[in-house]
């Protein structure tokens, strides 16, 4: 297993494939998107066995490391939708494989079929090798020590006899044509949407924690990542510093200052915020800085106040960085507009303010 560091600072365990013949390192696009890596345009052609070529449009600079973080390197990865099929193709029989208890495997489930998330090429291949080797089953199986743990190489019996070669291949023409027509067709409203584990957890979290107060307002606990609340540092000093900067700006522009005060007064009257008179310091808290976007040419809303929950605390983490992403619950814009056109009558409305009150407890 190979660990990579996400943009939030978390180390994620991925299943890797080592290929000393590959001149590049590769990661699956969906993994890179999920971890929030910053993409760069690449437009790189990747050629595999039998001259099959596939284009990689993007690349990303990613840190890879081992379990105890004694080895870490920043490497540029090319991004592809798929690296290879599941490896191994079928479950391997390891009942007669007596691995010594002192051997720590890089992947304890090496004998189980699984998707490959990342491919390590020649840039790192020889650097991660350690000199120790162990031979099992009269030399048919080799345990090779690496920076990530021991790898199992050699010949093991499979439940299904099938020859395989790991390479990047083009999709079958029939599948490509099918995807083309699916792209050109109208979205199917009844089509079931596949949700990730994180999205499912966020929905269950909402159902189990939400309630409504006397005014009908919904109250729900924030979906915080596991044990992430301990990562938040102090935020009050930064919020006060940002607030002092706002005062200086408002004092120089009377119109802007009047609009800002009117917004805050209305915000309090509507119940979107309230004054905390007895601050509780022994609880987890996060002070959200705010600033204004002033566009005097706009007649309806010349000033808009923005609350910045991405502002980092002293630990480098913000409120947004420790929250789970519940995904998008509404349909895509094209589906909404298409369905809107099917009806004879329609109503339109304008949301004046969409707000939420935050409380970490």
């Amino acid at each position: 297993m190979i660990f990579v560091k996400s943009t939030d600072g978390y180390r994620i365990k991925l299943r890797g494939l080592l290929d000393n013949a590959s001149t590049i390192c590769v990661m699956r696009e969906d993994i890179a998107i999920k971890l929030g890596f910053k993409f760069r345009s690449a437009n790189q052609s990747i050629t595999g066995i039998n001259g099959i070529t596939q284009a990689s449009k993007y690349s990303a600079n990613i840190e890879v490391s081992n379990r105890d973080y004694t080895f870490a390197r920043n490497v540029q990865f090319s991004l592809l939708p798929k690296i290879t099929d599941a490896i191994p193709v079928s479950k391997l029989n390891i009942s007669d494989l007596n691995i010594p208890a002192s051997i720590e495997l890089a992947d304890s489930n090496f004998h189980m079929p699984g998707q490959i998330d990342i491919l390590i090429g020649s840039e790192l291949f020889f650097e991660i090798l350690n000199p120790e080797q162990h031979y099992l089953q009269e030399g048919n199986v080799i345990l090779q020590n690496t920076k990530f743990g021991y790898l199992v190489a050699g010949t093991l019996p499979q439940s299904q006899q099938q020859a395989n070669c790991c390479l990047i291949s083009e999709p079958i023409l029939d599948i490509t044509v099918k995807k083309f027509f699916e792209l050109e067709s109208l979205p199917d409203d009844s089509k079931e949407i596949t949700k990730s584990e994180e999205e499912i957890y966020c929905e269950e979290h909402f159902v189990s924690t939400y309630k409504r107060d006397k005014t009908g307002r919904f109250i729900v606990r924030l979906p915080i990542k596991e044990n992430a609340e301990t990562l938040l540092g102090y935020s009050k000093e930064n919020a006060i510093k940002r607030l002092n900067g706002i005062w200086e700006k408002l004092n120089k522009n009377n119109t802007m200052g009047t609009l800002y005060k009117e917004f805050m007064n209305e915000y309090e009257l509507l119940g979107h915020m309230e004054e905390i008179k007895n601050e509780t310091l022994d609880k987890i808290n996060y002070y959200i800085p705010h600033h204004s976007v002033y566009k005097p040419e706009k007649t309806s809303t010349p000033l808009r106040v923005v609350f910045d929950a991405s502002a980092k605390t002293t630990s480098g983490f913000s409120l947004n960085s420790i929250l789970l992403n519940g995904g998008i619950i509404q349909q895509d814009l094209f589906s909404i507009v298409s369905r809107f056109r099917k009806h004879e009558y329609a109503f339109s409305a304008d949301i004046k303010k969409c707000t939420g009150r935050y409380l970490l407890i």
Side-chain angles (χ1 to χ4, degrees):
M1 290 295 178
I2 299 171
F3 288 79
V4 300
K5 183 181 289 187
S6 68
T7 54
D8 292 338
Y10 291 93
R11 296 175 66 230
I12 310 298
K13 182 169 62 176
L14 301 178
R15 197 175 202 193
L17 175 67
L18 304 183
D19 184 2
N20 66 323
S22 176
T23 58
I24 60 172
C25 296
V26 185
M27 175 179 283
R28 279 173 34 205
E29 282 183 0
D30 59 328
I31 298 294
I33 293 173
K34 184 177 180 180
L35 298 179
F37 293 126
K38 185 177 181 181
F39 290 8
R40 301 189 185 95
S41 296
N43 294 323
Q44 183 181 29
S45 296
I46 302 174
T47 303
I49 295 176
N50 200 27
I52 296 175
T53 302
Q54 188 167 347
S56 172
K57 297 181 180 179
Y58 305 102
S59 65
N61 191 46
I62 301 169
E63 181 189 272
V64 296
S65 59
N66 56 4
R67 182 179 286 105
D68 56 8
Y69 214 62
T70 56
F71 174 83
R73 294 289 184 274
N74 282 308
V75 183
Q76 182 171 324
F77 280 81
S78 298
L79 306 180
L80 286 173
K82 183 179 180 181
I83 298 177
T84 182
D85 289 331
I87 295 180
V89 175
S90 60
K91 183 178 179 180
L92 302 177
N93 184 3
I94 61 171
S95 57
D96 297 330
L97 190 64
N98 297 318
I99 300 177
S102 59
I103 296 296
E104 184 178 1
L105 297 177
D107 182 6
S108 58
N109 294 318
F110 71 93
H111 60 292
M112 302 294 293
Q115 290 294 325
I116 297 299
D117 305 315
I118 191 173
L119 182 145
I120 300 296
S122 57
E123 181 177 355
L124 281 181
F125 182 87
F126 294 99
E127 185 178 358
I128 66 174
L129 294 180
N130 289 333
E132 298 87 359
Q133 289 183 341
H134 296 271
Y135 294 88
L136 304 177
Q137 294 187 349
E138 299 179 352
N140 290 326
V141 176
I142 301 175
L143 302 180
Q144 172 66 54
N145 193 11
T146 71
K147 295 290 192 300
F148 302 107
Y150 278 87
L151 306 179
V152 181
T155 304
L156 287 170
Q158 300 182 14
S159 57
Q160 296 178 354
Q161 294 300 322
Q162 182 177 352
N164 299 283
C165 180
C166 302
L167 72 154
I168 300 168
S169 62
E170 289 182 335
I172 301 173
L173 181 60
D174 292 343
I175 298 176
T176 304
V177 174
K178 181 181 178 182
K179 288 184 177 180
F180 171 78
F181 283 106
E182 289 176 348
L183 181 65
E184 294 297 318
S185 61
L186 291 173
D188 185 3
D189 291 345
S190 63
K191 187 175 181 181
E192 184 179 354
I193 300 175
T194 303
K195 298 179 181 179
S196 66
E197 292 183 5
E198 185 170 324
E199 291 172 340
I200 295 173
Y201 172 81
C202 286
E203 287 192 9
E204 294 175 348
H205 174 272
F206 174 82
V207 172
S208 60
T209 63
Y210 89 93
K211 59 182 179 180
R212 300 185 73 175
D213 61 14
K214 296 179 180 179
T215 64
R217 177 176 290 154
F218 283 93
I219 302 173
V220 63
R221 287 180 179 270
L222 296 177
I224 301 175
K225 297 177 182 177
E226 185 178 1
N227 299 324
E229 64 271 13
T230 59
L231 299 175
L232 282 181
Y234 298 101
S235 55
K236 185 174 182 179
E237 184 177 349
N238 180 48
I240 293 176
K241 183 178 179 181
R242 294 268 293 267
L243 180 61
N244 291 332
I246 293 173
W247 289 131
E248 293 179 5
K249 184 182 294 185
L250 297 182
N251 290 332
K252 296 178 182 178
N253 190 324
N254 293 331
T255 303
M256 185 176 172
T258 301
L259 291 172
Y260 210 102
K261 291 175 183 177
E262 288 178 355
F263 174 89
M264 286 299 185
N265 289 332
E266 182 186 17
Y267 214 65
E268 185 176 9
L269 289 173
L270 292 174
H272 300 326
M273 71 177 182
E274 62 184 54
E275 182 183 359
I276 300 178
K277 297 181 179 179
N278 296 317
E279 184 178 5
T280 306
L281 298 177
D282 58 340
K283 292 185 178 180
I284 303 166
N285 53 68
Y286 179 80
Y287 295 84
I288 304 179
H290 52 86
H291 62 274
S292 63
V293 177
Y294 182 50
K295 295 182 179 180
E297 68 276 7
K298 293 216 170 186
T299 57
S300 58
T301 53
L303 182 135
R304 181 167 57 91
V305 177
V306 179
F307 294 88
D308 185 12
S310 295
K312 295 181 179 180
T313 63
T314 54
S315 64
F317 290 89
S318 66
L319 176 61
N320 283 348
S321 66
I322 67 168
L323 296 180
L324 293 170
N325 182 6
I328 301 173
I329 59 175
Q330 70 268 24
Q331 292 181 324
D332 60 277
L333 183 60
F334 184 84
S335 299
I336 295 173
V337 174
S338 299
R339 188 174 63 251
F340 179 84
R341 292 167 60 89
K342 294 193 302 182
H343 300 282
E344 184 176 359
Y345 302 101
F347 294 92
S348 64
D350 181 31
I351 300 176
K352 185 177 181 181
K353 288 183 175 65
C354 184
T355 60
R357 298 170 66 184
Y358 297 91
L359 179 62
L360 286 181
I361 56 175

